[in-house]
Amino acid sequence: MAEVLVYVDHVDGAVRKPTLELLTLARRIGSPVAVALGAGAADTAAVLGEHGAVKVLTHDASEYADYLVVPKVDALQAAVESVSPAAVLVPSSAEGKEIAARLALRIGSGIITDAIDIEAGDEGPVATQSVFAASFTTKSRVSKGIPVITVKPNSAAVEAAPADAAVEALAVSFSAQATGTKVTGRTPRESTGRPELTEAAIVVSGGRGVNGAENFAIIEALADSLGAAVGASRAAVDAGWYPHTNQVGQTGKSVSPQLYIASGISGAIQHRAGMQTSKTIVAINKDAEAPIFDLVDYGVVGDLFDVVPSLTEEIKTR
Ligand code: FAD
């Protein structure tokens, strides 16, 4: 069976969920071979093996932490050259997409970004994308070179598929560009204790209807009762009520959770662009004619200041 390279997103050996989702998709089109780089790379092998990786290629060097993405592209290119895979899958994070784009250019391949599904096809993997603010779903395949595909978080279930992952050291020689841009400092964001917005299984978002930064506390309370991330519409962000890092939409983040709850959000096309692929959508809006109700699975016509706290209380009792 053809091998499929999976780029591993991890923090000091702790593998992030989108990588495990990639392993589910990789197993549909071949045998997953994971590529883990940097500090803790070898520590990823156990969990990757539990989710179907047959091999883990590892390489650790200070360059991965000290410089921007080029050392990682060098390493992934070395892995492509040693394995000749049927495809390369990379998580659709900002960094993942940059790595994938640079890799595709290096190896002369076509690239598909932000796939929401991948299946095997007669002429190579077929990727599904949601395009034009989620108005259309397209299926496409790369017709040149080894397909490089980035996949949005929450596009596939994490599945246990125990395999004996052999750990092998990857031989990497860094290019002249690898050390071109040095990282001079990192400022960790203050932790809210909530899941990362793009990876969360549940997102609770607030919009202009929340009517003030202080009122976002009720959105946060609902999010916390569900173990969810908090999102915001651009109107709420532009008003300074919530940080831009939490903005969902065309000029914010794109999310695809199992459950998306929109409160006081009208459903403008630019907001939909970032959340329309959510599996179940619930809206709370006092205007029964709000466009958001055209795309919801469940809608509540009501004042969010009544509905959201009642919902939070009800969830807490369960
Ligand atoms: P509104 O459209 O004002 O809607 C507020 C809603 O709250 C209304 O439906 C109202 O009925 C309801 N409401 C009010 N009070 C209550 C209450 N007490 N209880 C219940 N419901 C209540 N927008 C994004 O969100 N993300 C983006 O990334 C984004 N990118 C953009 C990019 C461009 C180039 C442009 C031009 C626009 C972009 N926008 C984006 C803005 C977008 O067009 C909308 O203006 C924005 O999404 C509106 O936010 P909103 O739904 O919170 O506010």
Side-chain angles (χ1 to χ4, degrees), residues 160-192:
D164 266 337
V167 180
E168 274 181 27
L170 179 67
V172 180
S173 47
F174 291 121
S175 61
Q177 300 85 30
T179 53
T181 315
K182 190 161 173 49
V183 175
T184 57
R186 290 176 197 275
T187 311
R189 216 179 304 143
E190 218 170 280
S191 171
T192 59

Side-chain angles (χ1 to χ4, degrees), residues 206-210 232-236 247-252 263-268 270-271 284-287 290 302-305:
R208 201 192 311 268
V210 175
S233 73
R234 178 160 157 180
Q247 184 178 315
V248 172
Q250 188 182 317
T251 44
S263 306
I265 292 177
S266 61
Q270 297 89 354
H271 188 79
I284 300 158
N285 197 304
K286 67 181 183 184
D287 175 8
D303 190 321
L304 71 89
F305 293 100

